[in-house]
DNA sequence: CCCCTAAATGTTATCGATAACATTTTCCAC
DNA sequence: GTGGAAAATGTTATCGATAACATTTAGGGG
């Protein structure tokens, strides 16, 4: 492999000049630069980024880790982040923390050993804390995605309360009154959003309408089926991937048509929602990615104290498709 | 950040001994190693992989590029490959070539600049050829996934003819005679597989049963609808993501139930197929990933001439779910 | 034509880890 | 205890690119 020195010799200049030919704004004659780049191209030379990292004491690498590859939310964000990093001249080091044996900690260790300049991650546990502390001390920048268990670190997340609120509000606006809310049980903000929307619409909300699904799929399906019989709702709002999948499958098995017999709204734009024309609550992915990159590169205008971690909260929004039709309403 | 030298000083040894403490099988007293590792841990020291790459003249990095993130086939393979590489002590450098401006060439250039030891990729075009040539000359190992436009490079792909054959055969075995085959139009091997299965089953195959779908979704849907009316099939075999999506959507709109009114078989295990209990033709992902890693690390037993590129062809297989029921048959 | 400043280029030490080679220590046989 | 082989450790040059600093060249005014 051709090196800096080889190119220098062939072009009849010193290695320093070769370096200068590759950086913009350095004092070098245009004629010389052109000649060197020409020679470099002939010899298939490109600067070795590992050597450059070593000397420059910064790698131009940003580590990205997400826990759940199957989750389209993360994949969507990750690919956009990679794109934007590249535009800024950085490289992305992507790893998935949900594989067997690929804990978040292992991913962080690999990034540390590679001397990444920054990390964008969706922290799942606290086990990485000591390592993160030491990396922070070294100057590595961190950005938390979606979750934010670490105080003192910038973060970007969704206002799940708001997303839930917008969704429920839309269903009420369309005249629906008996709505079933299928949750995973632990998501407080989303439940709050629903309650807020009901209150604002002035519609009483029976606690039974909010189903905290069991982890076992067949039990969970039985839960939904039972409430379907008990309440006979005109709409279902499924708040998680799990809930959405089970709900759709059940409706399908019971030959309940959407939107004719039942309105369906899903939180998060799963791949099959588009195909089946199901309305969803989705996220401003482009902003999400751009903000993550701006934060990790510290290129965002720090209008406030740079020592105070920034928390950015983005609003999910309703993406209307064709799974919710106007409901005549039974009490309005 | 603590360096090799800092640790050496604190532990009262030379830097060489610190290096030795971190590599297994080197001549170092166990007692010394333990002390050094202890000190290193205290100082949060881990060897700098960039510096190591420079000195060792190999980076321990394997580049992975796939063109289509949305395709679950690739994501599945990529995550498994990352896992296996890590087990072997290698790092993965993953990038997605389907983003705007992220051509395959740009991904390869980034890998080249990072001095990867090998590349696993799904080549889409020939534009990377000159770069690949020069990387090969440097000793970089290449493995083509799925596609294999480059002769002289190892490759792993699926026997699409076989997958198609197995699927069609299953439908014939279940008594289906009037089967609709929905393609994207360009996939010769899959069409061959279908024809072979029909011939072997001794069942005549009307060319009209094989639909080469137009690129425009509504036109393509019209094509399927027309053939549904013309042939009144008992089963549909959708051979691509595109075909599967349009077909399911159409059946859904027409309230045609699966498997009661229609058998449905899909090529590739899309996320929603599992949810809807649809039988599919899928792939031995684990072998796929393992073989890719073995080839790129050159750790596979070369029973034949190492200069001859290896081509590994894996057989897709049928994953039975519940979308195909026994068909009484009209002529058997 | 010379001098001075500014631009262009060259020299060299360095980033951190490593491996070849040199040196010291250990330890066992005699 | 001593010789000598083997094990353990130290010394040092090096990987490739870079940036500070030193030196040369260019160019313009007097």
């Amino acid at each position: 492999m051709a090196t800096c020195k080889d190119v220098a010799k062939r072009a009849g200049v010193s290695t320093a000049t070769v370096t200068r030919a590759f950086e913009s704004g350095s004092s070098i004659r245009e004629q010389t630069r052109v000649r060197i780049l020409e020679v470099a191209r002939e010899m298939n030379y490109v600067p070795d980024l590992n050597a450059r990292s070593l000397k420059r004491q910064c790698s131009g690498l940003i580590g990205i880790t997400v826990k759940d590859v199957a989750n389209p939310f993360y994949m969507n964000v990750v690919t956009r982040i990679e794109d934007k990093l590249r535009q800024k001249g950085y490289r992305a080091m992507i790893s998935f923390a949900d594989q067997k044996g690929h804990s978040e900690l292992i991913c962080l260790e690999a990034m540390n050993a590679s001397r990444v300049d920054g990390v964008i991650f969706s922290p799942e546990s606290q086990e990485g804390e000591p390592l993160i502390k030491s990396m922070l001390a070294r100057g590595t920048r961190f950005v938390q995605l979606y979750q934010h268990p670490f105080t003192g670190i910038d973060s970007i997340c969704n206002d799940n309360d708001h997303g839930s609120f917008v969704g429920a509000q839309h269903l009420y606006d369309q005249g629906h009154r008996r709505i079933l809310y299928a949750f995973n049980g632990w998501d407080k903000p989303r439940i709050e959003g629903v309650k807020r929307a009901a209150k604002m619409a002035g519609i009483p909300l029976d606690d039974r309408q909010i189903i905290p699904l069991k982890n076992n799929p067949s039990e969970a399906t039985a839960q939904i089926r039972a409430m379907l019989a008990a309440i006979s709702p005109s709409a279902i709002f499924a708040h998680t991937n799990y809930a959405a999948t089970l709900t759709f499958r059940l409706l399908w098995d019971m030959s309940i048509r959407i939107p004719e017999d039942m309105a369906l709204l899903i939180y998060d734009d799963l791949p099959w929602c588009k195909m089946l024309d199901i309305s969803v609550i989705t996220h401003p992915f482009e902003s999400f990615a751009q903000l993550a990159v701006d934060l990790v590169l510290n290129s965002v205008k720090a209008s406030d104290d740079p020592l105070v971690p920034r928390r950015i909260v983005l609003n999910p929004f309703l993406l209307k498709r064709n799974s919710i039709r106007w409901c005549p309403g039974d009490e309005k």
Side-chain angles (χ1 to χ4, degrees), chain A:
Chain A
M1 183 73 195
T3 73
C4 185
K5 212 179 285 180
D6 301 328
V7 174
K9 190 181 293 177
R10 178 98 153 255
V13 295
S14 70
T15 58
T17 306
V18 173
T19 293
R20 279 188 274 256
F22 277 90
E23 60 185 328
S24 60
S26 55
S27 70
I28 183 174
R29 258 199 314 186
E30 196 50 34
Q31 176 189 342
T32 315
R33 155 173 285 145
V34 169
R35 195 176 76 244
I36 292 177
L37 292 181
E38 169 70 16
V39 171
R41 213 179 48 73
E42 270 173 26
M43 305 178 77
N44 292 316
Y45 168 80
V46 280
D48 182 321
L49 295 185
N50 296 312
R52 175 181 285 180
S53 300
L54 181 59
K55 187 61 175 78
R56 284 203 182 156
Q57 293 293 82
C58 66
S59 60
L61 264 179
I62 300 293
I64 306 176
T65 299
V66 292
K67 57 184 177 200
D68 187 4
V69 205
N71 188 327
F73 174 87
Y74 287 119
M75 281 313 300
N76 208 326
V77 171
V78 167
T79 53
R80 285 168 202 261
I81 289 178
E82 193 211 351
D83 192 27
K84 291 181 188 305
L85 281 175
R86 199 178 315 230
Q87 284 169 24
K88 295 257 184 180
Y90 280 78
R91 290 176 290 163
M93 180 176 168
I94 301 171
S95 55
F96 304 110
D98 63 338
Q99 298 294 97
K100 181 168 52 89
H102 282 200
S103 72
E104 185 180 313
L105 184 57
I106 288 179
C107 292
L108 286 172
E109 280 168 352
M111 291 176 187
N112 184 38
S114 301
R115 302 293 189 267
V116 296
D117 295 335
V119 176
I120 299 174
F121 71 139
S122 60
E124 183 70 341
S125 71
Q126 294 275 351
E127 61 173 353
E129 182 151 23
L131 180 54
I132 291 173
K133 282 254 168 67
S134 93
M135 290 173 76
L136 277 169
R138 211 192 88 214
T140 310
R141 298 193 49 79
F142 279 81
V143 175
Q144 306 176 83
L145 275 195
Y146 200 74
Q147 322 271 89
H148 46 80
F150 297 104
T151 56
I153 295 183
D154 291 347
S155 62
I156 306 180
C157 52
N158 296 314
D159 188 340
N160 281 327
D161 176 311
H162 182 261
S164 202
F165 172 78
V166 167
Q169 194 174 44
H170 178 64
L171 291 172
Y172 288 127
D173 281 353
Q174 294 295 309
H176 292 277
R177 292 295 172 267
R178 296 185 321 283
I179 305 175
L180 222 54
Y181 298 98
F183 285 86
N184 271 22
W186 38 259
D187 203 330
K188 284 275 179 233
R190 299 195 193 188
I191 295 175
E192 286 310 309
V194 162
K195 289 190 172 166
R196 205 151 50 84
K199 200 169 178 183
M200 188 172 288
I203 298 177
L205 187 62
D206 185 341
D207 268 353
R208 292 187 309 158
Q209 289 176 248
I210 301 178
I211 315 176
L213 295 175
K214 302 237 166 88
N215 279 328
N216 178 310
S218 56
E219 282 185 65
T221 303
Q223 286 180 283
I224 304 172
R225 189 190 289 270
M227 291 320 296
L228 235 42
I231 294 176
S232 161
S234 66
I236 303 180
F237 187 177
H239 283 256
T240 65
N241 194 335
Y242 180 67
T245 304
L246 294 179
T247 301
F248 183 82
R249 176 71 220 199
L250 178 61
L251 295 178
W252 162 268
D253 285 343
M254 295 174 74
S255 294
I256 295 175
R257 289 168 307 163
I258 301 167
E260 291 82 355
D261 309 328
M262 180 73 75
L264 181 61
L265 177 61
I266 291 176
Y267 203 110
D268 282 341
D269 195 5
L270 306 170
W272 48 273
C273 292
K274 186 174 184 196
M275 171 180 76
L276 298 176
D277 231 12
I278 293 171
S279 297
V280 297
I281 300 295
T282 186
H283 311 278
F285 289 106
E286 198 63 16
S287 308
F288 219 93
Q290 186 63 59
L291 286 165
V293 168
D294 287 346
L295 281 180
V296 85
L297 300 184
N298 203 15
S299 56
V300 71
K301 293 265 182 296
S303 52
D304 26 313
D305 187 345
L307 288 178
V308 175
R310 287 161 288 208
R311 166 159 309 168
I312 295 175
V313 180
L314 296 178
N315 279 338
F317 59 91
L318 173 71
L319 176 56
K320 282 189 206 176
R321 293 204 181 104
N322 187 30
S323 65
I324 301 169
R325 58 161 57 171
W326 168 258
C327 176
D330 27 32
E331 51 223 271
K332 189 181 183 179

